[in-house]
Amino acid sequence: MAQIIKIQDCISRYEQDPYHYINQFIRLKKQRWQSIKEMAEKKKDSLHYDKEAADDETVGKRKKTFTLKRKKEASDINKGKEADEWFNGLDGETDESLIARIPAAREELVSFFKEYVYEFQLKWASSTISDISRLSREIKSDKILHILAQQLPDSYFIMYRPVLQVNQAAVELSVLILTPLEIYCISFLEGEKDSAFIGSKDRFWKEKTVRGRERSLLNPAVELLRTGTVLSGLLKGSGIELPVRKVVVSRTSYIDYPEPPYGIGICDKRHWKEWLEKQQKNFAPIKSQQLKTAKILLSHGVSDSMRRQEWLS
């Protein structure tokens, strides 16, 4: 799973200490995965045990024993101070309620774990110990962010339409994906299924649906070129030599643009899965230039947040 290090103008704990949190993510995720697997196995055994005890004369006593056992397992799931801070400190969910949600079936466990981590990633990218930002309903239900976070490798960093301070002005950029080998600036076009986006060098593009409807939208290349210019300015003189790829992407629609501007790539539904699979096969570890890039960009992040209630007293 990729690391979400910035969402729009939300405060992020990565902004405080990017090296620490980026380096801890993979290890803590592995640790939590192991703990949850153990809990799922114990829950499966306990359910089997409880079923066998249903007709037993001492069922009341055994249920009491099972309750005590679950309490012990609940304390075992949080192994280590860091795991407790990352996975429990922001949510308030009790260990027993978490165990109750864990599926006993192994085939359901991976999906559960990905959703579980994603929920916390949204919290990590919108809060710190003392401050919190409000995530919009659109972000909470955003399919693109969900797909990127769950399907890209751990070594990828996502800055989702980050708002950065540039020359005393706040500027919202396109989606940034910092990989170990390059930087992607992506403008996602979400249209009706199988519609066609007609590209041009004009200010507006058109989307034509299979039902014959048309709508206009801003030329996504403009946003990408602006994002590329901002990146170049912020990284100038840093010694970072990561290639910057600017791409217009549509997962479910076609893009008709035979001659896009120089430096702008096109990836529509005919190539989306291929692009995603290529990223998933990138086993390169986190690189120093990638970390340095993340630190520089996060240092310019704009954050709209409020003090947590417990910190106001």
Side-chain angles (χ1 to χ4, degrees):
M1 295 182 68
Q3 302 190 50
I4 306 172
I5 64 174
K6 180 72 174 174
I7 298 176
Q8 296 176 329
D9 62 351
C10 294
I11 194 168
S12 165
R13 58 179 51 203
Y14 287 93
E15 292 174 317
Q16 296 182 323
D17 192 348
Y19 286 7
H20 171 74
Y21 287 110
I22 284 172
N23 288 327
Q24 291 298 315
F25 177 82
I26 298 173
R27 183 175 66 82
L28 293 175
K29 185 167 72 73
K30 287 180 178 178
Q31 178 181 324
R32 195 59 163 181
W33 169 239
Q34 186 61 38
S35 296
I36 285 183
K37 280 198 301 181
E38 292 173 5
M39 290 302 101
E41 287 298 321
K42 291 178 181 178
K43 181 175 182 178
K44 186 176 180 181
D45 293 342
S46 296
L47 291 173
H48 180 68
Y49 166 81
D50 194 47
K51 184 178 179 181
E52 287 184 339
D55 297 324
D56 197 285
E57 294 180 0
T58 58
V59 64
K61 182 179 178 181
R62 292 193 178 188
K63 281 186 176 180
K64 182 179 180 181
T65 303
F66 174 58
T67 301
L68 293 173
K69 183 180 178 184
R70 282 188 61 182
K71 286 183 177 179
K72 182 180 184 301
E73 290 170 357
S75 64
D76 289 341
I77 195 172
N78 292 313
K79 296 181 178 179
K81 182 179 178 181
E82 288 176 310
D84 184 68
E85 175 192 350
W86 272 66
F87 290 97
N88 293 333
L90 295 178
D91 181 72
E93 179 180 37
T94 65
D95 294 331
E96 282 199 320
S97 64
L98 172 59
I99 292 173
R101 292 201 296 130
I102 294 176
R106 181 60 184 264
E107 58 271 18
E108 300 174 13
L109 198 58
V110 173
S111 295
F112 168 82
F113 183 70
K114 284 189 172 184
E115 289 298 323
Y116 171 74
V117 174
Y118 182 69
E119 289 174 14
F120 281 100
Q121 286 213 70
L122 293 181
K123 292 181 173 68
W124 301 333
S126 62
S127 65
T128 64
I129 294 175
S130 59
D131 296 89
I132 188 168
S133 297
R134 294 191 183 279
L135 281 178
S136 67
R137 185 177 300 176
E138 289 75 20
I139 285 293
K140 290 180 179 179
S141 61
D142 195 294
K143 292 182 180 179
I144 296 296
L145 181 57
H146 188 271
I147 290 171
L148 294 177
Q150 293 211 349
Q151 298 194 32
L152 292 177
D154 288 349
S155 58
Y156 280 45
F157 311 151
I158 299 170
M159 301 184 73
Y160 202 74
R161 303 194 64 82
V163 179
L164 304 184
Q165 191 75 22
V166 182
N167 296 328
Q168 299 183 341
V171 181
E172 183 175 291
L173 306 183
S174 62
V175 176
L176 301 181
I177 301 176
L178 313 183
T179 84
L181 305 175
E182 54 200 350
I183 303 171
Y184 280 101
C185 308
I186 304 180
S187 181
F188 284 93
L189 301 181
E190 290 290 283
E192 288 192 22
K193 186 178 179 181
D194 294 329
S195 65
F197 289 98
I198 312 302
S200 71
K201 295 181 181 179
D202 298 332
R203 179 174 173 78
F204 293 97
W205 283 20
K206 289 184 178 180
E207 179 192 11
K208 294 185 177 181
T209 70
V210 292
R211 291 176 289 183
R213 297 178 181 175
E214 285 191 11
R215 74 176 178 99
S216 296
L217 64 152
L218 287 172
N219 185 341
V222 175
E223 177 187 65
L224 289 176
L225 292 172
R226 181 179 70 249
T227 298
T229 300
V230 170
L231 282 182
S232 297
L234 295 179
L235 300 178
K236 186 178 181 180
S238 65
I240 294 171
E241 298 179 354
L242 291 174
V244 177
R245 314 289 186 198
K246 296 184 281 290
V247 190
V248 180
V249 173
S250 182
R251 300 179 303 114
T252 58
S253 301
Y254 299 96
I255 300 177
D256 183 10
Y257 198 3
E259 297 182 4
Y262 176 77
I264 301 289
I266 300 294
C267 178
D268 62 11
K269 68 171 295 182
R270 291 168 291 192
H271 311 290
W272 164 248
K273 288 185 178 179
E274 179 184 343
W275 181 87
L276 193 58
E277 288 172 359
K278 178 183 175 183
Q279 308 310 315
Q280 292 169 338
K281 293 176 181 177
N282 183 357
F283 301 114
I286 294 171
K287 303 287 187 180
S288 59
Q289 287 206 52
Q290 181 190 11
L291 284 168
K292 190 175 180 180
T293 300
K295 184 175 183 179
I296 292 172
L297 297 182
L298 286 169
S299 69
H300 289 83
V302 173
S303 298
D304 181 12
S305 63
M306 64 186 72
R307 205 71 167 166
R308 287 181 182 272
Q309 201 66 34
E310 57 268 31
W311 283 74
L312 294 176
S313 57

